[in-house]
Amino acid sequence: MADQIRAAIFAGELVPNQRLVEADLAEMYGASRGHVRTALSELTVEGLVERIQNRGARVRSVPVEEAIEIVEVRSALEALCAARAATRITDAEAEELRQIGRSMQAAVETGDQAAYAQGNTDLHSTLIRLSGQKTAAATIDRLRAQAVRFQYRLFAKPGRSQQSLPEHLAIIDAVCAREPEEAARAMREHLMSVGAAIEESVRSGS
């Protein structure tokens, strides 16, 4: 149940500040109100949902200042993961990363934003998995979930994928070369760029 509601928030089907009425969600997903209540409690802990006294639950709206803070914290954690991945990666795993990079490059060349977004998700998730950092992985998942609407806004911004592709490829190159310090630096630079792009998109109103 929580997975379904979480996916709807990620997809923009449930939008920030939208009220989440237990009866409506139960009917929508064919679940009991008890299961919906449990799911909303779980998503509240994750920071995706907030409960307002006497008004029920709603999709939490993350302010831009908090979204930038989230990216800054992610930068530290994902830099650690990239460095660890560089020390652990096998030849087969390096080819897996390079294939993701090739897919992202093809997506930019064809203008396939959905494929590029998927490649972005695959790359970050794969690096975290290769790092073996389970605690960092759980924390990063929660942080990314809270700022997901800003992520989708960036993917839709013209020219953003062309800007971020070289950043992603630099991370892949460093990890595959087994250079942990360079991998960490490339990841930090990429996520600093993401933070700057979020701030710019809000200033420009896009």
Side-chain angles (χ1 to χ4, degrees):
M1 184 74 258
D3 289 343
Q4 292 172 292
I5 298 174
R6 186 186 299 108
I9 293 173
F10 287 1
E13 297 166 8
L14 298 173
V15 300
N17 295 319
Q18 180 175 339
R19 287 190 63 212
L20 299 172
V21 180
E22 289 179 6
D24 293 346
L25 292 171
E27 182 178 356
M28 184 184 306
Y29 295 110
S32 70
R33 291 185 63 170
H35 284 146
V36 170
R37 193 173 302 117
T38 299
L40 292 179
S41 295
E42 181 179 333
L43 296 172
T44 299
V45 172
E46 293 181 16
L48 289 177
V49 170
E50 63 181 346
R51 293 184 179 276
I52 310 298
Q53 189 171 6
N54 301 322
R55 297 183 63 184
R58 69 181 183 183
V59 178
R60 181 168 174 259
S61 178
V62 175
V64 64
E65 295 82 6
E66 185 176 346
I68 292 171
E69 287 181 8
I70 286 170
V71 172
E72 290 172 345
V73 175
R74 276 185 56 197
S75 175
L77 291 174
E78 294 204 44
L80 167 65
C81 290
R84 289 293 178 86
T87 67
R88 294 163 50 98
I89 194 165
T90 66
D91 289 345
E93 290 164 344
E95 179 55 29
E96 180 183 0
L97 281 185
R98 292 191 184 99
Q99 180 55 50
I100 293 173
R102 288 191 288 268
S103 297
M104 295 178 76
Q105 197 157 10
V108 168
E109 291 170 356
T110 60
D112 190 338
Q113 293 292 348
Y116 187 80
Q118 185 60 56
N120 176 80
T121 299
D122 291 344
L123 175 57
H124 285 270
S125 298
T126 300
L127 287 170
I128 293 166
R129 170 172 57 82
L130 296 180
S131 76
Q133 290 286 320
K134 294 181 180 179
T135 301
T139 304
I140 292 165
D141 279 347
R142 287 196 298 272
L143 292 172
R144 290 177 67 184
Q146 291 175 36
V148 69
R149 73 185 177 95
F150 292 97
Q151 178 178 323
Y152 279 103
R153 181 185 294 178
L154 287 189
F155 285 141
K157 185 178 179 181
R160 176 58 195 169
S161 57
Q162 288 88 340
Q163 178 183 349
S164 65
L165 177 63
E167 300 166 1
H168 286 120
L169 295 180
I171 297 167
I172 292 171
D173 287 346
V175 173
C176 291
R178 298 173 174 83
E179 297 178 351
E181 291 184 6
E182 181 63 21
R185 185 193 64 78
M187 180 63 79
R188 282 194 297 269
E189 288 187 355
H190 165 56
L191 287 172
M192 285 173 58
S193 170
V194 171
I198 289 174
E199 195 168 14
E200 173 61 28
S201 70
V202 171
R203 279 204 306 266
S204 64
S206 59

